[in-house]
Amino acid sequence: MTEANRIKVMLVDDQNMIRQGFGYILSLQPDLQIVGEAGNGNDAVKMAEELHPDVILMDVQMPFMDGIEATKRIMAQQTGVKIVILTTFDDQDYVLEGIRAGAVGYLLKDAEASDMIEAIRAAYRGEAIYKTKLASGALQEAIASASLSAPDNVLQVKLLEPLTEREQEILQEMAYGLRNEQIAAKLFITEGTVKSHVHRILQKFGCEDRTQVVVMALRGGLVK
């Protein structure tokens, strides 16, 4: 693979050893290229403007400017960059603020290296990756407070097949945070029917769980 075809990755973390470790792991991937490293949010914003990376792995707690604020500022400058929050804290507030700021992923630093690599590739493809225990709760809070109103950095969502009218209806209820039995009661259908539709929705989005689907749908403007 030529250098021009590689995914340009920028690492942002205030711990040098963390950056070195992640950089070594990612450098072994033929489709990834480390284009820059920053140790705080201020440097991250400046470096992103200069280097135009495809994907940024962003720590949260850093000196001078935290990762959430840096994400907001970078997204205001470059809507095409994809930012994945990578932190030691499985904190619902961090997940929520990361979503609001425009991050398309949230991973813990103790995740498998393969998960981090796939998250970068998925982010580059325009997919959303939120795989923490508290991500679902953060999403529901965001939806309930109507805090995820149409961001400027809308994701391009490519479905394997178009959604049917019923699937679109169920997807909207999923985005409101309703469980299968609640959706069934609201739409006057059986819970088994809802489960079948949800399974098909996940297949069409190419996602493994409801959280990923809802994030993609919200960020892609497919639901309110």
Side-chain angles (χ1 to χ4, degrees), residues 8 15 44 53 56 62 64 68 77 89 110 113 115 121 131-132 135 138 142 145 173 197 204 207 222:
K8 296 183 294 183
Q15 297 184 45
I56 299 175
M62 296 181 293
F64 305 114
I68 302 299
Q77 296 174 350
F89 304 98
D110 62 359
D115 288 337
R121 292 169 176 158
K131 288 189 176 181
T132 74
S145 62
E173 301 304 330
H197 283 302
K204 290 182 178 183
C207 291
L222 299 181

Side-chain angles (χ1 to χ4, degrees), residues 94-105:
Y94 286 158
V95 180
L96 178 59
E97 291 304 317
I99 295 170
R100 287 171 172 168
V104 299

Side-chain angles (χ1 to χ4, degrees), residues 163-170:
L163 295 176
T164 66
E165 184 175 345
R166 176 62 87 181
E167 288 167 351
Q168 180 65 49
E169 191 175 17
I170 289 175

Side-chain angles (χ1 to χ4, degrees), residues 18 53 59 80 104 122 136 154 177 180 203:
I18 294 282
D59 190 19
V104 299
S136 180
V154 175
N180 286 350
Q203 286 183 323

Side-chain angles (χ1 to χ4, degrees), residues 186-205:
K186 184 173 182 178
L187 300 182
F188 302 103
I189 55 180
T190 68
E191 187 175 348
T193 300
V194 174
K195 288 181 179 179
S196 295
H197 283 302
V198 171
H199 179 68
R200 286 290 294 154
I201 292 170
L202 262 62
Q203 286 183 323
K204 290 182 178 183
F205 273 83

Side-chain angles (χ1 to χ4, degrees), residues 81-217:
V81 67
K82 304 298 189 299
I83 298 179
V84 176
I85 300 294
L86 191 63
T87 179
T88 56
F89 304 98
D90 191 6
D91 185 289
Q92 180 163 315
D93 289 339
Y94 286 158
V95 180
L96 178 59
E97 291 304 317
I99 295 170
R100 287 171 172 168
V104 299
Y106 192 102
L107 286 175
L108 297 181
K109 290 181 180 178
D110 62 359
E112 296 293 332
S114 58
D115 288 337
M116 178 177 63
I117 293 168
E118 180 51 36
I120 293 172
R121 292 169 176 158
Y124 180 72
R125 294 194 299 265
E127 301 171 8
I129 303 294
Y130 286 86
K131 288 189 176 181
T132 74
K133 295 178 180 178
L134 297 177
S136 180
L139 280 172
Q140 291 183 14
E141 180 181 332
I143 295 163
S145 62
S147 60
L148 276 174
S149 55
D152 293 331
N153 50 308
V154 175
L155 289 181
Q156 181 179 2
V157 179
K158 297 180 179 180
L159 301 180
L160 299 180
E161 296 179 36
L163 295 176
T164 66
E165 184 175 345
R166 176 62 87 181
E167 288 167 351
Q168 180 65 49
E169 191 175 17
I170 289 175
L171 176 61
Q172 181 64 67
E173 301 304 330
M174 290 166 61
Y176 288 141
L178 271 62
R179 300 186 301 273
N180 286 350
E181 61 269 25
Q182 295 173 313
I183 297 175
K186 184 173 182 178
L187 300 182
F188 302 103
I189 55 180
T190 68
E191 187 175 348
T193 300
V194 174
K195 288 181 179 179
S196 295
H197 283 302
V198 171
H199 179 68
R200 286 290 294 154
I201 292 170
L202 262 62
Q203 286 183 323
K204 290 182 178 183
F205 273 83
C207 291
E208 298 178 358
D209 58 53
R210 295 166 70 106
T211 299
Q212 290 183 43
V213 165
V214 171
V215 171
M216 288 186 68

